[in-house]
Amino acid sequence: MSRKFRGKFLYYLKQAYAENKLNFYGKQKYLSDDPVFQDFLSPLYQNDWVVYCKPPFKNAGCVVEYLGRYTHRVAISNNRILKLEDGNVTFKFPAVA
């Protein structure tokens, strides 16, 4: 699986580069030069890539349950708000063990 992923990843990376969809800034600006970019990619084909793949969810319900644990949280729940006054919010911190 790692060889397949490496091939697909590098193929689409080269495609994005050819279509000018990649932007390089700071220390990576040098990769904007075509020969330099190709020299950068060449050794990546030689390296073994480590791909970690978890088993898929059982069904759509399991996906919804998993995502729901993260998407339905609020930063500060209402029961932690102590006071709202002059545009300032005072809230209690949870107890630290």
Side-chain angles (χ1 to χ4, degrees), residues 53-91:
C53 183
K54 293 174 80 170
F57 290 101
K58 293 178 188 173
N59 56 44
C62 292
V63 173
V64 171
E65 181 182 332
Y66 173 79
L67 293 175
R69 291 194 293 260
Y70 300 99
T71 61
H72 289 80
R73 289 184 179 176
V74 293
I76 302 171
S77 61
N78 287 343
N79 65 349
R80 291 182 52 204
I81 297 174
L82 300 174
K83 177 173 54 171
L84 173 59
E85 186 175 80
D86 298 325
N88 295 312
V89 178
T90 303
F91 59 96

